[in-house]
Amino acid sequence: EGDEAISFYLALGDYDCAARAISSRAMGLMDLGRWQALEDWLDRLPPGVSAVYPDLDYVRAEMTAARGDAVTAGRLYDTAAARYADRSDTDGASRSMLAASAAAAIAGDLVTARARACAAYSLAETAGAANKSNVSGCNPSSRPPVAKIL
């Protein structure tokens, strides 16, 4: 579905179809530098739509982070993580938690950065996706992984 379809859905007030089309194209539009069009479409959606399509929150967080607002980006990543979790999407939730961790580290909040990284690890471990030998720093006695990077 192209730009015309998204504009058409929005003009009709069919926000579910618009959100689905935006969600499926969002990362590609970002890669093409079409941020303004993407933001315009996102702004035209009613607030509750992103609860059904957490990719929309994630993409908005990505754009916010790229513009240098790590604190707001972190909040948006947290929202996306919660919405992915509500949908039992472990990959989306973990990805969002890790992005929130990076945003917190950039903002200088290493405590939150560590907490988000460890939450992502715990979620992945619960889902059976983590390899304990590849992740360190998520137990109370170890240094925050972000501190090792900085």
Side-chain angles (χ1 to χ4, degrees):
E1 295 177 282
D3 291 8
E4 299 81 23
I6 293 170
S7 294
F8 182 71
Y9 292 140
L10 289 168
L12 286 176
D14 189 343
Y15 299 118
D16 184 65
C17 284
R20 186 174 36 244
I22 294 167
S23 182
S24 71
R25 299 195 58 223
M27 294 310 281
L29 289 167
M30 284 185 61
D31 290 345
L32 293 172
R34 305 245 353 259
W35 292 20
Q36 191 59 54
L38 185 55
E39 255 182 338
D40 290 345
W41 290 330
L42 291 172
D43 289 343
R44 291 175 60 191
L45 294 172
V49 172
S50 61
V52 179
Y53 298 98
D55 290 342
L56 302 178
D57 290 318
Y58 186 85
V59 166
R60 192 176 292 275
E62 289 282 284
M63 290 187 292
T64 302
R67 288 189 175 114
D69 186 352
V71 173
T72 302
R75 284 194 300 266
L76 290 166
Y77 285 127
D78 286 341
T79 298
R83 289 179 172 167
Y84 281 123
D86 288 345
R87 300 174 60 79
S88 299
D89 181 344
T90 304
D91 291 339
S94 295
R95 181 180 68 239
S96 298
M97 288 175 189
L98 289 173
S101 174
I106 290 167
D109 184 353
L110 299 183
V111 172
T112 298
R114 181 175 185 272
R116 295 301 183 273
C118 290
Y121 172 74
S122 293
L123 181 62
E125 182 178 46
T126 299
N131 178 346
K132 288 184 183 180
S133 65
N134 291 334
V135 181
S136 65
C138 287
N139 66 50
S141 64
S142 67
R143 283 179 41 194
V146 175
K148 293 178 186 178
I149 296 168
L150 302 174

